[in-house]
Amino acid sequence: SQKIEQNSEALNIQEGKTATLTCNYTNYSPAYLQWYRQDPGRGPVFLLLIRENEKEKRKERLKVTFDTTLKQSLFHITASQPADSATYLCALDASGGSYIPTFGRGTSLIVHP
Amino acid sequence: GAGVSQSPSNKVTEKGKDVELRCDPISGHTALYWYRQSLGQGLEFLIYFQGNSAPDKSGLPSDRFSAERTGGSVSTLTIQRTQQEDSAVYLCASSLGGAETQYFGPGTRLLVL
């Protein structure tokens, strides 16, 4: 069955450092992968989408990579700030035109001042 | 409004009662999704509406769960004879037809006593 894995342990880093979050998947051939941010008590907010034929996507301090051979996406936040502290979810959509993404459980990021 | 809204924001009910949760999607968004998120868990897909097509109900956990979308806009998720395991945050999201990015509402926190 399809499976998405995100590190369940919180990632603690110091302000100014680069945070790197991992999303691994198995039994999937996703057409694209998305990253969302979720703050406590709120719904997820879309950050970035990367397609299967793209290796890297950037937006301001955010960078996403997508390795379909390794079946892995890395999500980087450079020059991290305490305001970046949140849970980050990856979501994959199976190839074939399905519009129903599957979400990972998310990884909590804590940026210490 | 500018975003997806959900009501009520919180709902406490007794086991065995029926509840209705409401979602107002972004105007013009033809796709609407319902998810459930339990503490520390990922987003669990429940149901998907796209335009006038028959909804994809493949994620509904039991026949106690049902949803409607009237006039291609507002949606109501109904849970009959609630059980304690139904306690969770119920999130609604909408998107432009055919688009991948979803816009989430703030969720309804349901507690079944």
Side-chain angles (χ1 to χ4, degrees), chain B residues 4-7 21-25 32 34 73-76 92-93:
Chain B
V4 178
S5 60
Q6 293 186 244
S7 61
L21 313 179
R22 177 187 169 104
C23 172
D24 281 274
L32 187 148
W34 282 99
S73 181
V74 172
S75 177
T76 302
C92 172

Side-chain angles (χ1 to χ4, degrees), chain B residues 57-89:
Chain B
K57 305 179 182 180
S58 60
L60 295 179
S62 77
D63 58 8
R64 296 187 295 105
F65 289 72
S66 62
E68 291 184 341
R69 189 177 185 193
T70 54
S73 181
V74 172
S75 177
T76 302
L77 177 69
T78 301
I79 309 173
Q80 296 179 310
R81 305 180 302 282
T82 52
Q83 304 294 313
Q84 289 182 331
E85 60 262 30
D86 299 334
S87 296
V89 176

Side-chain angles (χ1 to χ4, degrees), chain A residues 32 36 38 41 51 99 101, chain B residues 33 37 41 56 100 102 109:
Chain A
Y32 57 82
Y36 287 78
Q38 187 173 23
R51 301 190 185 280
Y99 292 114
Chain B
Y33 304 76
Q37 187 174 37
Q41 301 296 311
D56 184 327
E100 304 93 350
Q102 298 186 16
R109 284 146 197 82

